[in-house]
Amino acid sequence: MRAFLMAAAAALMVTTACESIPVSSPQGTASPAPQTSHDAPWREVEAENLVILKTLTGEAVIELAANAAPAHAAQFREAVRANLYNDEFFYRVIDGHVAQAGLEFEHRLGGWAELSLEAERPIEIDGFVPLGNPDLFAEATGHRDGFAVGREGGQEWLLHCPGALGMARDTAPDSGATELYIAIGQRRYLDRNYTLFGRVIAGMDHINRLDRVDPTPEDALAAFLDPETSEEALARRAERLAANRILSVGVAADMPADIRPRWEVMATHSAEWEILKDSKRDYGAVDAFVVTPPKRLDICTLPVPARQISD
């Protein structure tokens, strides 16, 4: 039973209607990895790591952190390409915590491998850009390729800032499979305990607008298990979660080239990023302030900017 971040579940059968956004099999249209100069102020997101999630509230754009959690990113892509999330729901949305989506019920996870925890990895010297001030949860924090990271004891990990994309699991560390969650609050106590494998780079306001809902409680599972009541129970569940329905999820690399979206993220080794950080750290010029705040920046309050590339 998924004990944390996943709903309690039992072996029940759910019929799912899956409507896919147009997806093409590889037919020579897959885009090559964008070539970005190390000195460029912006970095284009690789199409294989760019995911578009459409809900009734709007569209969220996700960049996968394939280097940080390769197995989770790969299985998520596979699930997206199998239309697993289409017409499913965000079934657990807790204010200030997470929005969780997927299959919800245990028996439906049978065909998907449980993944080993990929919450942290050995520190790499190159590519890390320090934030520049102390942190409450880690010895050091900063950014790598636009992702907020912490460092300590020779290990590095992604941070549970708002918009972080993670994998829910059972109590066992190596039990995540398909159930994704998006942090809608700053949940740093989850750092290093759950695998993060991406972040929302645009459209987080649409995730924040999802209805706040709880997963199916254990005492209601009997109605889903009984053949005489399961159809009605599923219909009631769909009605209860209707506002949080996922219309489609797609990997940009699978979309036809002429409509494939392209996004870029501000390079965190750039002068532009340092200027932006300094502007959010120094409030000395605000005449209305009686007490000038210390020149410190919380790493979760300034997500690295992203923008769509217009052809």
Side-chain angles (χ1 to χ4, degrees), residues 63-104:
E63 181 180 11
L64 300 181
N67 291 333
H72 283 73
Q75 182 147 300
F76 177 69
R77 286 193 208 95
E78 184 180 353
V80 168
R81 286 167 169 152
N83 298 322
L84 181 144
Y85 301 103
N86 295 358
D87 273 340
E88 291 294 342
F89 303 94
F90 278 92
Y91 58 81
R92 182 174 186 255
V93 184
I94 307 300
D95 204 26
H97 186 44
V98 300
Q100 185 172 324
L103 301 177
E104 183 173 11

Side-chain angles (χ1 to χ4, degrees), residues 120 123 128 130-142 149-157 159 188 191-192 299:
E120 54 187 341
I123 283 178
F128 174 76
L131 179 66
N133 53 247
D135 182 76
L136 290 175
F137 291 86
E139 187 176 275
T141 58
V149 299
R151 296 181 138 197
E152 192 170 315
Q155 295 292 106
E156 184 176 285
W157 59 91
L159 305 183
R188 293 286 306 282
D191 292 351
R192 309 173 80 176
I299 193 164

